Amino acid sequence: MRDLPNVSQFIPMFRSASRLFLLLCVSTFPVDAQPFHFNEKKAPENLQDIEAIQKALISALQKARDATVCIDIGDGSGSGVIISADGLVLTAAHVSTGVGKEVTVIMEDGRKLKAETLGLVADVDAAMVKITEKGPFPFAPLGKDDTPKLGDWVFSLGHSGGFDKERGSVVRLGRLVRIANSTIQTDCALIGGDSGGPLFDMSGKVIGIHSRVGEQLQVNMHVPLKEFTNNWDGMLRSEFIGEGPFAQKPEKGSGLLGVATEARSAGGLKVLKVGRETPAEKAGIKEGDVLLKFNGTALEKREQLQELIKEMAAGDKVEIEGLRGGKPQTFKLKLGERN
């Protein structure tokens, strides 16, 4: 690892420029072709170097901010970044916390959109979220897995401390100070709420996602993009990949449907009672309905349905085929949490 300068030496120099970026938020300059010459220097050597960094940041910032979102999970919030026009979002596993959860994505302009958590990788803190409303949405391009180099200038975005429309997402400038197999470290200053937000190279391409905030503001870990690309298909299929520490695997047997049934001599189970505010009630199942199949398995005994549910966890998706008044019905729902 080569020695790097302490970026704090240059913070006063950049402070006035950064304020200008946040006030104007206007892209008026073209981006230098890669590679940026300032990445090859241990420290800015003159005013031209500082102006080149400023020019790159101004050019990339607005599009990056448009794609950066707040993710509201109900009892807290984190950040994320949209990386496709149809609303695919990258974030951290400890922000999404699970698979198949309903969350709210808040855009830079304050719009609130319905979304659902897809898959996650629990041991490296990577996760996907999908906006379920119709796009297109602004999005940020992805960098290449092997693009970041030690010492490169980067910038981070995130909704520090939660969404604030008047302030918007917060930008921090820094450098890559360590690159390891499953993490990269920068000296971009982050705080709570930034988790899951994007780390950009100076051309505005996503190269990582904020993971762990250090005890010191300028010691922060990010999930490199390659950890997403390595598990891309599984996350799109909403798989829970790996074992903690960033997310806990759903516990088998924790799922709740919310119906009382009895077997019918003609086959299937007759619904005797539907619990209030249960997944069954929310899916439209009513007393008197007949449940014929549970995820494709024909139902014959009440105990059989109980055993099938015991093999599942809260949040698992279920499809039930049944009858109401002799007419076929299909119910799709997610199992709730058994208390």
Side-chain angles (χ1 to χ4, degrees), residues 257 269 294 299 301-309:
L257 177 59
L269 304 178
F294 183 91
L299 298 173
K301 297 181 179 179
R302 180 171 57 88
E303 294 79 7
Q304 180 191 13
L305 176 59
Q306 294 171 343
E307 290 301 318
L308 288 170
I309 294 175

Side-chain angles (χ1 to χ4, degrees), residues 48 81 150 154 158 170 217 238 304:
Q48 288 70 34
V81 60
L150 191 64
V154 295
V170 180
L217 284 179
S238 296
Q304 180 191 13

Side-chain angles (χ1 to χ4, degrees), residues 92-99 120-127 240-250:
H94 79 270
V95 171
S96 75
T97 68
V99 173
L120 61 83
V121 188
D123 50 352
V124 299
D125 207 11
F240 191 106
I241 302 169
E243 299 283 347
F246 296 106
Q248 297 300 314
K249 208 162 193 172

